[in-house]
Amino acid sequence: MKRFFSRLFCTFRGHDYGYEIYTSPSMLTCCHRCGRDIRGRSIEDLEPMTDEDYEYLEHLIGMEFENE
């Protein structure tokens, strides 16, 4: 039921993907409210990660540890 209201809210107000959007063919970028991917993909649609994707992911993990 909560997911239904979240999707309804996103329909009228727009999705919340956060401040930093990195759209990669090997990563999902999901809405913080309803969980929908920015490109409408699922896990089955993902491609293998590239070196650039690994570097970006390590950068994000490093930022999380700095904020704690």
Side-chain angles (χ1 to χ4, degrees):
M1 190 70 153
K2 180 182 175 187
R3 187 167 291 259
F4 171 75
F5 286 117
S6 296
R7 288 186 182 191
L8 186 63
F9 186 79
C10 286
T11 301
F12 292 109
R13 297 283 304 240
H15 295 284
D16 177 19
Y17 294 108
Y19 295 112
E20 193 166 346
I21 298 176
Y22 178 67
T23 55
S24 166
S26 58
M27 296 171 67
L28 294 175
T29 305
C30 299
C31 174
H32 293 266
R33 286 189 294 257
C34 70
R36 183 175 180 267
D37 179 60
I38 195 167
R39 294 183 181 176
R41 301 172 298 168
S42 67
I43 292 176
E44 293 82 27
D45 300 329
L46 296 180
E47 297 176 8
M49 287 188 108
T50 63
D51 291 336
E52 181 181 311
D53 293 330
Y54 276 118
E55 289 176 14
Y56 183 76
L57 190 59
E58 288 176 353
H59 171 73
L60 288 179
I61 292 170
M63 287 178 52
E64 287 178 12
F65 287 122
E66 289 176 5
N67 293 334
E68 291 180 356

